[in-house]
């Protein structure tokens, strides 16, 4: 492990907005499950989660945009979300946190109906068929999300992958769920068709893909038949 990673891991331990439980702690009556508002955010505001948050740009960006909502970035790589945690700490953004945990354990992290929205921004599309089970929008993951989300909760998928966008769109429709918005190029769509924050908040990868001339897709849907 490089010195920079070691430094970031050490600094993460000093941040009040970072939680890094062991797998055993998560799977055995996790302290925050069902208690995120009371024990972590200390308010009664809605909870929005970003899965695979990377450097945390979207988590922090949304937290700034919506100060009356709570935002939690989840990723297994603490050296990545260190940047978001540090930015939130330096800028005193109190409605944002970061959790280091594997996404497949999300049912152990939240109680039924505890989450209002989920964001998935630029995940690995896992194009090969044998990698289907690792796609963050596969049927197994969607079933997990449905359990922890409020009935009217929505999921946002933002990606440069036309493959993943099409796969998710077809899967959601095929499972009988409701697609609210689907765009193959958010920067080519009329402004009135999308909320401003969908365009205004950009991750490291989005900026890179835009520089390469790739269109950015967006899908918003409900896990409700």
């Amino acid at each position: 492990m490089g010195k920079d990673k070691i430094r970031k891991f050490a600094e993460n331990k000093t941040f009040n907005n970072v939680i890094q439980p062991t797998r055993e702690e998560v799977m055995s009556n996790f302290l925050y499950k069902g208690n995120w508002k009371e024990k972590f955010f200390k308010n009664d505001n809605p909870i929005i989660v970003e899965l695979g948050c990377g450097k945390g740009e979207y988590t922090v960006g949304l937290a700034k945009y919506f100060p009356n909502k709570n935002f939690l970035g989840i990723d297994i790589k603490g050296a990545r979300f260190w940047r978001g945690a540090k930015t939130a700490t330096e800028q005193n953004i109190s409605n944002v946190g970061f959790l280091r945990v594997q996404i497949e354990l999300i049912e152990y992290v939240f109680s039924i109906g505890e989450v209002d929205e989920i964001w998935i921004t630029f995940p690995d599309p896992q194009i090969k068929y044998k990698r289907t089970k690792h796609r963050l929008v596969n049927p197994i993951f969607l079933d997990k999300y449905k359990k922890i989300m409020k009935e009217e909760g929505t999921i946002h998928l933002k990606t440069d992958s036309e493959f993943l966008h099409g796969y998710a769109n077809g899967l959601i429709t095929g499972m009988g769920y409701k697609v609210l918005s689907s765009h193959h190029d958010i920067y080519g769509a009329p402004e009135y068709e999308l909320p401003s924050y969908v365009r205004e908040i950009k991750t490291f990868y989005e900026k890179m893909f835009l520089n390469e001339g790739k269109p950015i897709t967006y899908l918003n849907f409900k896990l409700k038949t």
Side-chain angles (χ1 to χ4, degrees):
M1 185 184 298
K3 291 183 179 179
D4 190 50
K5 278 191 175 181
I6 293 174
R7 176 183 63 82
K8 290 176 180 177
F9 284 140
E11 194 166 7
N12 275 347
K13 294 179 181 179
T14 71
F15 294 147
N16 293 328
N17 58 11
V18 170
I19 301 173
Q20 301 184 96
T22 64
R23 186 182 180 90
E24 291 71 26
E25 288 172 336
V26 169
M27 298 184 69
S28 179
N29 297 317
F30 184 49
L31 172 66
Y32 293 99
K33 182 179 181 180
N35 300 300
W36 282 99
K37 293 180 180 180
E38 177 186 357
K39 293 188 176 181
F40 186 78
F41 292 107
K42 297 179 171 56
N43 61 50
D44 197 37
N45 295 333
I47 295 176
I48 292 85
V49 173
E50 184 187 4
L51 300 177
C53 67
K55 295 176 181 291
E57 303 103 319
Y58 228 89
T59 302
V60 173
L62 287 169
K64 290 180 180 179
Y65 210 99
F66 297 102
N68 293 322
K69 294 183 179 182
N70 301 316
F71 294 87
L72 186 69
I74 297 179
D75 206 300
I76 193 59
K77 297 185 177 180
R80 288 186 181 176
F81 68 60
W82 163 86
R83 178 64 269 169
K86 187 174 181 66
T87 297
T89 298
E90 291 174 340
Q91 297 183 13
N92 196 29
I93 305 171
S94 61
N95 63 324
V96 61
F98 292 90
L99 173 67
R100 185 173 182 266
V101 74
Q102 292 172 309
I103 295 171
E104 54 262 38
L105 299 180
I106 197 166
E107 293 170 276
Y108 295 92
V109 172
F110 299 103
S111 290
I112 294 173
E114 193 171 12
V115 174
D116 292 81
E117 291 180 48
I118 288 176
W119 280 83
I120 305 172
T121 57
F122 302 95
D124 188 330
Q126 307 288 0
I127 293 176
K128 293 183 179 180
Y129 177 76
K130 64 180 181 180
R131 300 290 296 176
T132 301
K133 66 179 181 179
H134 297 289
R135 293 174 197 155
L136 293 185
V137 287
N138 72 30
I140 295 174
F141 276 117
L142 292 181
D143 284 342
K144 292 177 183 289
Y145 305 156
K146 187 174 183 179
K147 291 176 182 177
I148 67 170
M149 293 189 73
K150 287 184 168 51
E151 187 176 354
E152 293 298 322
T154 63
I155 297 180
H156 310 261
L157 173 65
K158 197 175 178 184
T159 175
D160 68 302
S161 172
E162 275 288 345
F163 164 79
L164 185 61
H165 178 85
Y167 166 81
N169 207 339
L171 176 64
I172 293 154
T173 302
M175 293 179 73
Y177 296 140
K178 187 175 182 180
V179 174
L180 302 174
S181 179
S182 178
H183 294 273
H184 292 273
D185 181 4
I186 63 173
Y187 297 103
E191 288 189 11
Y192 66 84
E193 290 187 1
L194 287 161
S196 59
Y197 53 85
V198 173
R199 292 187 180 94
E200 290 176 5
I201 303 173
K202 297 180 179 66
T203 69
F204 169 83
Y205 288 107
E206 180 171 357
K207 293 175 183 176
M208 181 177 70
F209 295 141
L210 286 172
N211 286 336
E212 294 173 358
K214 292 184 177 180
I216 306 300
T217 72
Y218 171 73
L219 190 65
N220 182 215
F221 59 96
K222 286 184 177 183
L223 297 180
K224 182 179 179 182
T225 55

